[in-house]
Amino acid sequence: MTAGSFEGQYVWHPAADDRQLARACMDVKAGRYLSASEILKETRGDFEVRAHRSLVLASEAADSDLAERWLAEEPNAESALLWARVAMLRALRMADAGDLREGALLRIAQGACERASELLPTDPTPWVTQLALTRLQRPRDPAPRGLLTEPTGPWYLFAHILRLDPWHREAHHRFLAFFFTRNGGSASARWDVASFLSHRAPTSSPLRLLPLVALVEDYDANALLADRTWEQPQWKATTMGIYTHWFPETAKYRFTPVLDLGYLAHALVMGKLEFEAREVLTASGPYASRMPWSAFGAPEEQLTRARKLCGLPVPSAA
């Protein structure tokens, strides 16, 4: 991982320091898919990067006909995957907007996921894409043993994904999001699932961050002493455990895990652990994600405040 030094401005693009992805995003915006094809083919043996790249590319392609055109001209595992990701994003956007086309787009997305999974059966990404759609259908599979609240949900689909890739990051985040209150879940189920998933993961895994994601999701600015939550002993211990065991592993990553670093840095700052937060923010370089900062206000203002507390440089205009 080589994030680079901070040079005075934040870089918010989700490609971060994946230069190949950044160039492919520019090509997709211009209506070209050759570079997208190349960088997705290169990830057939690295499903974490494949998931991230395909999602970022889909966010760039969702407002154009590039995915449909590429699939028609070159039907293969990569074009089918991008189409599945684009169809998923469109379906979720329509659902969030209350658009009547939600049902039709959901069926299109499900069909796209099935086609992509058939073309590369070892790839969990199409199944993860289908998992993202389950918040629109609310399946009620019984939970496995070990969860206090026994929350029903898309457990069978999740189990299938885990057979393909036991520690798939996006799959775990999508599954946890199914239980968010805004998606029809409940606070008790969210906490139960976050704890269950994180504790079954290795201590050096980014999945240990899932309780921090749930904590941000649970944040209520109007609640008494809401900002002091991260200072509680159990949360400081959780955060320091992630800092001690996972953070050193990020030096081995191909690309900077900006979103996960953001959640860790935020928890450290809120827990008054500025020394450790400084290290994490420094490792992020200029790259930034809008979450978790946007849950607390304007993301640039919140990130700038955090960097100032840690004695780090901030954009000159801030």
Side-chain angles (χ1 to χ4, degrees):
M1 182 186 75
T2 53
S5 61
F6 183 78
E7 297 181 355
Q9 295 296 327
Y10 301 131
V11 178
W12 296 97
H13 196 281
D17 54 347
D18 185 342
R19 307 300 185 194
Q20 290 178 304
L21 177 57
R23 287 193 292 269
C25 285
M26 293 177 64
D27 285 345
V28 166
K29 278 292 190 184
R32 300 185 294 267
Y33 57 74
L34 178 59
S35 58
S37 176
E38 291 173 346
I39 69 165
L40 287 180
K41 283 180 180 177
E42 185 261 331
T43 63
R44 287 192 178 190
D46 189 338
F47 292 129
E48 288 294 338
V49 176
R50 187 174 179 84
H52 175 66
R53 282 181 170 178
S54 61
L55 187 60
V56 174
L57 289 168
S59 68
E60 299 284 1
D63 295 325
S64 72
D65 67 346
L66 181 134
E68 296 97 314
R69 182 161 47 83
W70 181 15
L71 184 62
E73 295 174 0
E74 292 185 4
N76 56 37
E78 281 63 48
S79 60
L81 177 60
L82 186 68
W83 167 234
R85 299 293 251 175
V86 165
M88 175 267 288
L89 289 178
R90 290 175 180 171
L92 293 180
R93 287 177 184 176
M94 289 300 103
D96 291 341
D99 195 291
L100 295 177
R101 293 170 292 176
E102 171 196 334
L105 290 175
L106 174 59
R107 290 188 291 273
I108 291 171
Q110 289 173 323
C113 291
E114 292 173 4
R115 180 174 184 178
S117 65
E118 290 169 357
L119 288 171
L120 190 60
T122 58
D123 183 8
T125 319
W127 298 100
V128 175
T129 307
Q130 191 167 329
L131 182 63
L133 296 167
T134 58
R135 70 175 174 89
L136 306 183
Q137 304 162 296
R138 310 301 303 173
R140 301 181 63 83
D141 308 333
R145 294 180 179 178
L147 287 96
L148 295 175
T149 61
E150 299 183 345
T152 58
W155 290 98
Y156 297 155
L157 176 56
F158 186 53
H160 176 73
I161 295 168
L162 298 189
R163 287 192 288 271
L164 294 173
D165 188 347
W167 311 116
H168 196 282
R169 182 194 174 281
E170 185 185 338
H172 283 75
H173 280 264
R174 294 288 188 187
F175 188 70
L176 177 60
F178 177 90
F179 299 96
F180 287 174
T181 305
R182 57 187 163 94
N183 291 334
S186 67
S188 59
R190 178 171 67 251
W191 285 115
D192 203 4
V193 170
S195 177
F196 176 76
L197 296 182
S198 65
H199 282 99
R200 64 181 290 275
T203 56
S204 60
S205 170
L207 300 179
R208 288 283 176 155
L209 287 141
L210 289 170
L212 298 184
V213 175
L215 189 59
V216 170
E217 182 68 21
D218 203 45
Y219 177 73
D220 179 2
N222 296 318
L224 183 65
L225 301 177
D227 289 344
R228 304 293 296 272
T229 302
W230 287 261
E231 297 179 47
Q232 295 176 10
Q234 68 269 31
W235 284 113
K236 293 184 79 167
T238 296
T239 304
M240 283 302 298
I242 297 166
Y243 169 80
T244 301
H245 298 290
W246 171 72
F247 177 58
E249 295 295 314
T250 62
K252 306 172 188 176
Y253 283 30
R254 287 180 63 184
F255 307 109
T256 305
V258 179
L259 181 58
D260 288 337
L261 288 174
Y263 272 99
L264 178 56
H266 172 266
L268 289 167
V269 169
M270 297 293 282
K272 309 296 185 184
L273 299 165
E274 288 89 356
F275 176 82
E276 292 82 2
R278 180 187 176 94
E279 283 193 77
V280 177
L281 289 168
T282 299
S284 300
Y287 304 107
S289 59
R290 302 200 178 277
M291 285 295 288
W293 313 105
S294 61
F296 302 84
E300 183 163 358
E301 292 178 5
Q302 294 297 313
L303 179 54
T304 294
R305 172 182 170 274
R307 290 182 65 91
K308 285 181 176 178
L309 285 172
C310 296
L312 291 172
V314 298
S316 56

PDB file of all heavy atoms in Angstrom, residues 126-155:
ATOM      1  N   PRO A 126     -20.975 -11.804  -8.507  1.00  0.00           N
ATOM      2  CA  PRO A 126     -22.389 -11.748  -8.905  1.00  0.00           C
ATOM      3  C   PRO A 126     -23.342 -12.124  -7.779  1.00  0.00           C
ATOM      4  O   PRO A 126     -24.432 -11.564  -7.659  1.00  0.00           O
ATOM      5  CB  PRO A 126     -22.460 -12.764 -10.055  1.00  0.00           C
ATOM      6  CG  PRO A 126     -21.071 -12.859 -10.585  1.00  0.00           C
ATOM      7  CD  PRO A 126     -20.190 -12.697  -9.376  1.00  0.00           C
ATOM      8  N   TRP A 127     -22.921 -13.063  -6.932  1.00  0.00           N
ATOM      9  CA  TRP A 127     -23.765 -13.462  -5.804  1.00  0.00           C
ATOM     10  C   TRP A 127     -23.818 -12.353  -4.754  1.00  0.00           C
ATOM     11  O   TRP A 127     -24.870 -12.125  -4.129  1.00  0.00           O
ATOM     12  CB  TRP A 127     -23.225 -14.750  -5.187  1.00  0.00           C
ATOM     13  CG  TRP A 127     -23.242 -15.909  -6.130  1.00  0.00           C
ATOM     14  CD1 TRP A 127     -22.184 -16.403  -6.844  1.00  0.00           C
ATOM     15  CD2 TRP A 127     -24.373 -16.706  -6.497  1.00  0.00           C
ATOM     16  NE1 TRP A 127     -22.593 -17.465  -7.622  1.00  0.00           N
ATOM     17  CE2 TRP A 127     -23.928 -17.676  -7.428  1.00  0.00           C
ATOM     18  CE3 TRP A 127     -25.715 -16.698  -6.118  1.00  0.00           C
ATOM     19  CZ2 TRP A 127     -24.782 -18.622  -7.987  1.00  0.00           C
ATOM     20  CZ3 TRP A 127     -26.572 -17.650  -6.684  1.00  0.00           C
ATOM     21  CH2 TRP A 127     -26.100 -18.587  -7.603  1.00  0.00           C
ATOM     22  N   VAL A 128     -22.706 -11.653  -4.558  1.00  0.00           N
ATOM     23  CA  VAL A 128     -22.688 -10.510  -3.643  1.00  0.00           C
ATOM     24  C   VAL A 128     -23.604  -9.411  -4.173  1.00  0.00           C
ATOM     25  O   VAL A 128     -24.308  -8.735  -3.404  1.00  0.00           O
ATOM     26  CB  VAL A 128     -21.252  -9.979  -3.457  1.00  0.00           C
ATOM     27  CG1 VAL A 128     -21.240  -8.716  -2.597  1.00  0.00           C
ATOM     28  CG2 VAL A 128     -20.363 -11.044  -2.831  1.00  0.00           C
ATOM     29  N   THR A 129     -23.602  -9.237  -5.489  1.00  0.00           N
ATOM     30  CA  THR A 129     -24.486  -8.257  -6.117  1.00  0.00           C
ATOM     31  C   THR A 129     -25.944  -8.619  -5.875  1.00  0.00           C
ATOM     32  O   THR A 129     -26.783  -7.756  -5.578  1.00  0.00           O
ATOM     33  CB  THR A 129     -24.194  -8.198  -7.629  1.00  0.00           C
ATOM     34  OG1 THR A 129     -22.793  -7.976  -7.833  1.00  0.00           O
ATOM     35  CG2 THR A 129     -24.976  -7.081  -8.302  1.00  0.00           C
ATOM     36  N   GLN A 130     -26.242  -9.904  -5.967  1.00  0.00           N
ATOM     37  CA  GLN A 130     -27.597 -10.364  -5.680  1.00  0.00           C
ATOM     38  C   GLN A 130     -27.940 -10.174  -4.206  1.00  0.00           C
ATOM     39  O   GLN A 130     -29.084  -9.848  -3.852  1.00  0.00           O
ATOM     40  CB  GLN A 130     -27.731 -11.837  -6.073  1.00  0.00           C
ATOM     41  CG  GLN A 130     -29.160 -12.341  -6.063  1.00  0.00           C
ATOM     42  CD  GLN A 130     -29.286 -13.678  -6.759  1.00  0.00           C
ATOM     43  OE1 GLN A 130     -28.553 -13.977  -7.691  1.00  0.00           O
ATOM     44  NE2 GLN A 130     -30.226 -14.491  -6.302  1.00  0.00           N
ATOM     45  N   LEU A 131     -26.945 -10.339  -3.338  1.00  0.00           N
ATOM     46  CA  LEU A 131     -27.155 -10.122  -1.899  1.00  0.00           C
ATOM     47  C   LEU A 131     -27.560  -8.674  -1.632  1.00  0.00           C
ATOM     48  O   LEU A 131     -28.402  -8.406  -0.759  1.00  0.00           O
ATOM     49  CB  LEU A 131     -25.880 -10.471  -1.138  1.00  0.00           C
ATOM     50  CG  LEU A 131     -25.921 -10.363   0.385  1.00  0.00           C
ATOM     51  CD1 LEU A 131     -26.932 -11.330   0.981  1.00  0.00           C
ATOM     52  CD2 LEU A 131     -24.532 -10.619   0.975  1.00  0.00           C
ATOM     53  N   ALA A 132     -26.962  -7.744  -2.368  1.00  0.00           N
ATOM     54  CA  ALA A 132     -27.308  -6.335  -2.195  1.00  0.00           C
ATOM     55  C   ALA A 132     -28.777  -6.071  -2.517  1.00  0.00           C
ATOM     56  O   ALA A 132     -29.390  -5.158  -1.954  1.00  0.00           O
ATOM     57  CB  ALA A 132     -26.415  -5.464  -3.081  1.00  0.00           C
ATOM     58  N   LEU A 133     -29.342  -6.887  -3.412  1.00  0.00           N
ATOM     59  CA  LEU A 133     -30.735  -6.695  -3.827  1.00  0.00           C
ATOM     60  C   LEU A 133     -31.729  -7.252  -2.824  1.00  0.00           C
ATOM     61  O   LEU A 133     -32.921  -6.944  -2.899  1.00  0.00           O
ATOM     62  CB  LEU A 133     -30.958  -7.367  -5.185  1.00  0.00           C
ATOM     63  CG  LEU A 133     -30.170  -6.794  -6.373  1.00  0.00           C
ATOM     64  CD1 LEU A 133     -30.252  -7.745  -7.563  1.00  0.00           C
ATOM     65  CD2 LEU A 133     -30.696  -5.411  -6.755  1.00  0.00           C
ATOM     66  N   THR A 134     -31.251  -8.071  -1.884  1.00  0.00           N
ATOM     67  CA  THR A 134     -32.199  -8.734  -0.976  1.00  0.00           C
ATOM     68  C   THR A 134     -32.901  -7.770  -0.036  1.00  0.00           C
ATOM     69  O   THR A 134     -33.957  -8.100   0.498  1.00  0.00           O
ATOM     70  CB  THR A 134     -31.490  -9.820  -0.141  1.00  0.00           C
ATOM     71  OG1 THR A 134     -30.410  -9.233   0.615  1.00  0.00           O
ATOM     72  CG2 THR A 134     -30.950 -10.925  -1.033  1.00  0.00           C
ATOM     73  N   ARG A 135     -32.349  -6.585   0.146  1.00  0.00           N
ATOM     74  CA  ARG A 135     -33.055  -5.636   1.020  1.00  0.00           C
ATOM     75  C   ARG A 135     -34.367  -5.165   0.394  1.00  0.00           C
ATOM     76  O   ARG A 135     -35.217  -4.590   1.089  1.00  0.00           O
ATOM     77  CB  ARG A 135     -32.163  -4.456   1.380  1.00  0.00           C
ATOM     78  CG  ARG A 135     -31.840  -3.482   0.278  1.00  0.00           C
ATOM     79  CD  ARG A 135     -31.050  -2.328   0.883  1.00  0.00           C
ATOM     80  NE  ARG A 135     -30.541  -1.354  -0.053  1.00  0.00           N
ATOM     81  CZ  ARG A 135     -31.208  -0.274  -0.456  1.00  0.00           C
ATOM     82  NH1 ARG A 135     -32.448  -0.061  -0.030  1.00  0.00           N
ATOM     83  NH2 ARG A 135     -30.646   0.597  -1.280  1.00  0.00           N
ATOM     84  N   LEU A 136     -34.547  -5.420  -0.911  1.00  0.00           N
ATOM     85  CA  LEU A 136     -35.798  -5.067  -1.578  1.00  0.00           C
ATOM     86  C   LEU A 136     -36.823  -6.188  -1.457  1.00  0.00           C
ATOM     87  O   LEU A 136     -38.019  -5.959  -1.649  1.00  0.00           O
ATOM     88  CB  LEU A 136     -35.548  -4.762  -3.054  1.00  0.00           C
ATOM     89  CG  LEU A 136     -34.480  -3.710  -3.370  1.00  0.00           C
ATOM     90  CD1 LEU A 136     -34.404  -3.469  -4.869  1.00  0.00           C
ATOM     91  CD2 LEU A 136     -34.764  -2.411  -2.632  1.00  0.00           C
ATOM     92  N   GLN A 137     -36.361  -7.417  -1.155  1.00  0.00           N
ATOM     93  CA  GLN A 137     -37.257  -8.574  -1.107  1.00  0.00           C
ATOM     94  C   GLN A 137     -37.493  -9.074   0.318  1.00  0.00           C
ATOM     95  O   GLN A 137     -38.508  -9.700   0.597  1.00  0.00           O
ATOM     96  CB  GLN A 137     -36.674  -9.714  -1.945  1.00  0.00           C
ATOM     97  CG  GLN A 137     -36.396  -9.311  -3.391  1.00  0.00           C
ATOM     98  CD  GLN A 137     -35.432 -10.293  -4.049  1.00  0.00           C
ATOM     99  OE1 GLN A 137     -34.285 -10.425  -3.651  1.00  0.00           O
ATOM    100  NE2 GLN A 137     -35.927 -11.007  -5.031  1.00  0.00           N
ATOM    101  N   ARG A 138     -36.517  -8.823   1.207  1.00  0.00           N
ATOM    102  CA  ARG A 138     -36.585  -9.205   2.620  1.00  0.00           C
ATOM    103  C   ARG A 138     -36.800 -10.708   2.814  1.00  0.00           C
ATOM    104  O   ARG A 138     -37.796 -11.136   3.421  1.00  0.00           O
ATOM    105  CB  ARG A 138     -37.694  -8.434   3.343  1.00  0.00           C
ATOM    106  CG  ARG A 138     -37.690  -6.923   3.154  1.00  0.00           C
ATOM    107  CD  ARG A 138     -36.407  -6.290   3.613  1.00  0.00           C
ATOM    108  NE  ARG A 138     -36.096  -6.586   5.012  1.00  0.00           N
ATOM    109  CZ  ARG A 138     -34.942  -6.238   5.599  1.00  0.00           C
ATOM    110  NH1 ARG A 138     -33.997  -5.636   4.899  1.00  0.00           N
ATOM    111  NH2 ARG A 138     -34.731  -6.532   6.859  1.00  0.00           N
ATOM    112  N   PRO A 139     -35.893 -11.577   2.319  1.00  0.00           N
ATOM    113  CA  PRO A 139     -36.015 -13.015   2.594  1.00  0.00           C
ATOM    114  C   PRO A 139     -35.905 -13.285   4.094  1.00  0.00           C
ATOM    115  O   PRO A 139     -35.289 -12.514   4.832  1.00  0.00           O
ATOM    116  CB  PRO A 139     -34.838 -13.628   1.828  1.00  0.00           C
ATOM    117  CG  PRO A 139     -33.868 -12.507   1.656  1.00  0.00           C
ATOM    118  CD  PRO A 139     -34.689 -11.267   1.534  1.00  0.00           C
ATOM    119  N   ARG A 140     -36.487 -14.398   4.536  1.00  0.00           N
ATOM    120  CA  ARG A 140     -36.575 -14.676   5.965  1.00  0.00           C
ATOM    121  C   ARG A 140     -36.027 -16.073   6.282  1.00  0.00           C
ATOM    122  O   ARG A 140     -36.678 -16.884   6.948  1.00  0.00           O
ATOM    123  CB  ARG A 140     -38.030 -14.540   6.434  1.00  0.00           C
ATOM    124  CG  ARG A 140     -38.620 -13.140   6.193  1.00  0.00           C
ATOM    125  CD  ARG A 140     -40.051 -13.040   6.702  1.00  0.00           C
ATOM    126  NE  ARG A 140     -40.137 -13.224   8.136  1.00  0.00           N
ATOM    127  CZ  ARG A 140     -39.923 -12.285   9.032  1.00  0.00           C
ATOM    128  NH1 ARG A 140     -39.576 -11.068   8.631  1.00  0.00           N
ATOM    129  NH2 ARG A 140     -40.037 -12.537  10.320  1.00  0.00           N
ATOM    130  N   ASP A 141     -34.813 -16.357   5.825  1.00  0.00           N
ATOM    131  CA  ASP A 141     -34.166 -17.620   6.174  1.00  0.00           C
ATOM    132  C   ASP A 141     -33.844 -17.621   7.669  1.00  0.00           C
ATOM    133  O   ASP A 141     -33.487 -16.581   8.231  1.00  0.00           O
ATOM    134  CB  ASP A 141     -32.859 -17.794   5.396  1.00  0.00           C
ATOM    135  CG  ASP A 141     -33.034 -17.618   3.900  1.00  0.00           C
ATOM    136  OD1 ASP A 141     -34.154 -17.864   3.405  1.00  0.00           O
ATOM    137  OD2 ASP A 141     -32.053 -17.226   3.229  1.00  0.00           O
ATOM    138  N   PRO A 142     -33.935 -18.762   8.335  1.00  0.00           N
ATOM    139  CA  PRO A 142     -33.614 -18.819   9.775  1.00  0.00           C
ATOM    140  C   PRO A 142     -32.126 -18.597  10.010  1.00  0.00           C
ATOM    141  O   PRO A 142     -31.279 -19.016   9.218  1.00  0.00           O
ATOM    142  CB  PRO A 142     -34.042 -20.232  10.172  1.00  0.00           C
ATOM    143  CG  PRO A 142     -33.987 -21.024   8.902  1.00  0.00           C
ATOM    144  CD  PRO A 142     -34.389 -20.066   7.813  1.00  0.00           C
ATOM    145  N   ALA A 143     -31.811 -17.932  11.099  1.00  0.00           N
ATOM    146  CA  ALA A 143     -30.417 -17.650  11.457  1.00  0.00           C
ATOM    147  C   ALA A 143     -29.750 -18.909  12.014  1.00  0.00           C
ATOM    148  O   ALA A 143     -30.415 -19.770  12.589  1.00  0.00           O
ATOM    149  CB  ALA A 143     -30.353 -16.531  12.486  1.00  0.00           C
ATOM    150  N   PRO A 144     -28.437 -19.024  11.865  1.00  0.00           N
ATOM    151  CA  PRO A 144     -27.725 -20.154  12.482  1.00  0.00           C
ATOM    152  C   PRO A 144     -27.651 -19.985  13.990  1.00  0.00           C
ATOM    153  O   PRO A 144     -27.966 -18.922  14.529  1.00  0.00           O
ATOM    154  CB  PRO A 144     -26.331 -20.068  11.842  1.00  0.00           C
ATOM    155  CG  PRO A 144     -26.167 -18.619  11.505  1.00  0.00           C
ATOM    156  CD  PRO A 144     -27.534 -18.135  11.121  1.00  0.00           C
ATOM    157  N   ARG A 145     -27.221 -21.020  14.664  1.00  0.00           N
ATOM    158  CA  ARG A 145     -27.073 -20.935  16.113  1.00  0.00           C
ATOM    159  C   ARG A 145     -25.964 -19.950  16.483  1.00  0.00           C
ATOM    160  O   ARG A 145     -25.002 -19.774  15.747  1.00  0.00           O
ATOM    161  CB  ARG A 145     -26.738 -22.312  16.680  1.00  0.00           C
ATOM    162  CG  ARG A 145     -27.854 -23.332  16.532  1.00  0.00           C
ATOM    163  CD  ARG A 145     -27.435 -24.663  17.112  1.00  0.00           C
ATOM    164  NE  ARG A 145     -28.494 -25.656  16.998  1.00  0.00           N
ATOM    165  CZ  ARG A 145     -28.380 -26.925  17.390  1.00  0.00           C
ATOM    166  NH1 ARG A 145     -27.238 -27.335  17.935  1.00  0.00           N
ATOM    167  NH2 ARG A 145     -29.397 -27.763  17.244  1.00  0.00           N
ATOM    168  N   GLY A 146     -26.130 -19.317  17.620  1.00  0.00           N
ATOM    169  CA  GLY A 146     -25.103 -18.405  18.108  1.00  0.00           C
ATOM    170  C   GLY A 146     -25.528 -16.951  18.109  1.00  0.00           C
ATOM    171  O   GLY A 146     -24.788 -16.103  18.603  1.00  0.00           O
ATOM    172  N   LEU A 147     -26.707 -16.649  17.564  1.00  0.00           N
ATOM    173  CA  LEU A 147     -27.208 -15.277  17.561  1.00  0.00           C
ATOM    174  C   LEU A 147     -28.353 -15.155  18.549  1.00  0.00           C
ATOM    175  O   LEU A 147     -29.345 -15.893  18.466  1.00  0.00           O
ATOM    176  CB  LEU A 147     -27.661 -14.859  16.162  1.00  0.00           C
ATOM    177  CG  LEU A 147     -26.506 -14.609  15.177  1.00  0.00           C
ATOM    178  CD1 LEU A 147     -26.268 -15.851  14.344  1.00  0.00           C
ATOM    179  CD2 LEU A 147     -26.791 -13.412  14.287  1.00  0.00           C
ATOM    180  N   LEU A 148     -28.234 -14.212  19.455  1.00  0.00           N
ATOM    181  CA  LEU A 148     -29.210 -14.077  20.530  1.00  0.00           C
ATOM    182  C   LEU A 148     -30.604 -13.748  20.011  1.00  0.00           C
ATOM    183  O   LEU A 148     -31.607 -14.266  20.503  1.00  0.00           O
ATOM    184  CB  LEU A 148     -28.744 -13.003  21.521  1.00  0.00           C
ATOM    185  CG  LEU A 148     -27.461 -13.306  22.297  1.00  0.00           C
ATOM    186  CD1 LEU A 148     -27.063 -12.099  23.134  1.00  0.00           C
ATOM    187  CD2 LEU A 148     -27.646 -14.530  23.193  1.00  0.00           C
ATOM    188  N   THR A 149     -30.668 -12.854  19.014  1.00  0.00           N
ATOM    189  CA  THR A 149     -31.964 -12.396  18.516  1.00  0.00           C
ATOM    190  C   THR A 149     -32.526 -13.290  17.417  1.00  0.00           C
ATOM    191  O   THR A 149     -33.649 -13.076  16.974  1.00  0.00           O
ATOM    192  CB  THR A 149     -31.859 -10.956  17.993  1.00  0.00           C
ATOM    193  OG1 THR A 149     -30.913 -10.925  16.906  1.00  0.00           O
ATOM    194  CG2 THR A 149     -31.404 -10.001  19.083  1.00  0.00           C
ATOM    195  N   GLU A 150     -31.738 -14.238  16.935  1.00  0.00           N
ATOM    196  CA  GLU A 150     -32.148 -15.148  15.856  1.00  0.00           C
ATOM    197  C   GLU A 150     -32.780 -14.396  14.685  1.00  0.00           C
ATOM    198  O   GLU A 150     -33.884 -14.722  14.241  1.00  0.00           O
ATOM    199  CB  GLU A 150     -33.112 -16.200  16.398  1.00  0.00           C
ATOM    200  CG  GLU A 150     -32.516 -17.070  17.494  1.00  0.00           C
ATOM    201  CD  GLU A 150     -33.460 -18.147  17.975  1.00  0.00           C
ATOM    202  OE1 GLU A 150     -34.674 -18.060  17.676  1.00  0.00           O
ATOM    203  OE2 GLU A 150     -33.001 -19.079  18.644  1.00  0.00           O
ATOM    204  N   PRO A 151     -32.095 -13.385  14.151  1.00  0.00           N
ATOM    205  CA  PRO A 151     -32.699 -12.578  13.082  1.00  0.00           C
ATOM    206  C   PRO A 151     -32.800 -13.349  11.768  1.00  0.00           C
ATOM    207  O   PRO A 151     -31.840 -13.975  11.322  1.00  0.00           O
ATOM    208  CB  PRO A 151     -31.728 -11.409  12.947  1.00  0.00           C
ATOM    209  CG  PRO A 151     -30.406 -11.979  13.366  1.00  0.00           C
ATOM    210  CD  PRO A 151     -30.720 -12.958  14.459  1.00  0.00           C
ATOM    211  N   THR A 152     -33.974 -13.314  11.163  1.00  0.00           N
ATOM    212  CA  THR A 152     -34.133 -13.936   9.853  1.00  0.00           C
ATOM    213  C   THR A 152     -33.574 -13.014   8.783  1.00  0.00           C
ATOM    214  O   THR A 152     -33.511 -11.794   8.965  1.00  0.00           O
ATOM    215  CB  THR A 152     -35.616 -14.225   9.556  1.00  0.00           C
ATOM    216  OG1 THR A 152     -36.361 -12.987   9.622  1.00  0.00           O
ATOM    217  CG2 THR A 152     -36.179 -15.219  10.563  1.00  0.00           C
ATOM    218  N   GLY A 153     -33.174 -13.590   7.653  1.00  0.00           N
ATOM    219  CA  GLY A 153     -32.580 -12.795   6.582  1.00  0.00           C
ATOM    220  C   GLY A 153     -32.059 -13.685   5.478  1.00  0.00           C
ATOM    221  O   GLY A 153     -32.375 -14.885   5.427  1.00  0.00           O
ATOM    222  N   PRO A 154     -31.238 -13.158   4.578  1.00  0.00           N
ATOM    223  CA  PRO A 154     -30.740 -13.931   3.429  1.00  0.00           C
ATOM    224  C   PRO A 154     -29.568 -14.840   3.803  1.00  0.00           C
ATOM    225  O   PRO A 154     -28.499 -14.801   3.184  1.00  0.00           O
ATOM    226  CB  PRO A 154     -30.332 -12.835   2.443  1.00  0.00           C
ATOM    227  CG  PRO A 154     -29.900 -11.701   3.307  1.00  0.00           C
ATOM    228  CD  PRO A 154     -30.816 -11.741   4.509  1.00  0.00           C
ATOM    229  N   TRP A 155     -29.758 -15.660   4.818  1.00  0.00           N
ATOM    230  CA  TRP A 155     -28.671 -16.494   5.322  1.00  0.00           C
ATOM    231  C   TRP A 155     -28.214 -17.542   4.311  1.00  0.00           C
ATOM    232  O   TRP A 155     -27.021 -17.854   4.230  1.00  0.00           O
ATOM    233  CB  TRP A 155     -29.101 -17.169   6.630  1.00  0.00           C
ATOM    234  CG  TRP A 155     -29.223 -16.227   7.780  1.00  0.00           C
ATOM    235  CD1 TRP A 155     -30.365 -15.652   8.259  1.00  0.00           C
ATOM    236  CD2 TRP A 155     -28.156 -15.731   8.607  1.00  0.00           C
ATOM    237  NE1 TRP A 155     -30.094 -14.838   9.327  1.00  0.00           N
ATOM    238  CE2 TRP A 155     -28.739 -14.875   9.574  1.00  0.00           C
ATOM    239  CE3 TRP A 155     -26.776 -15.944   8.636  1.00  0.00           C
ATOM    240  CZ2 TRP A 155     -27.983 -14.225  10.546  1.00  0.00           C
ATOM    241  CZ3 TRP A 155     -26.021 -15.298   9.608  1.00  0.00           C
ATOM    242  CH2 TRP A 155     -26.621 -14.454  10.541  1.00  0.00           C
TER     243      TRP A 155
END
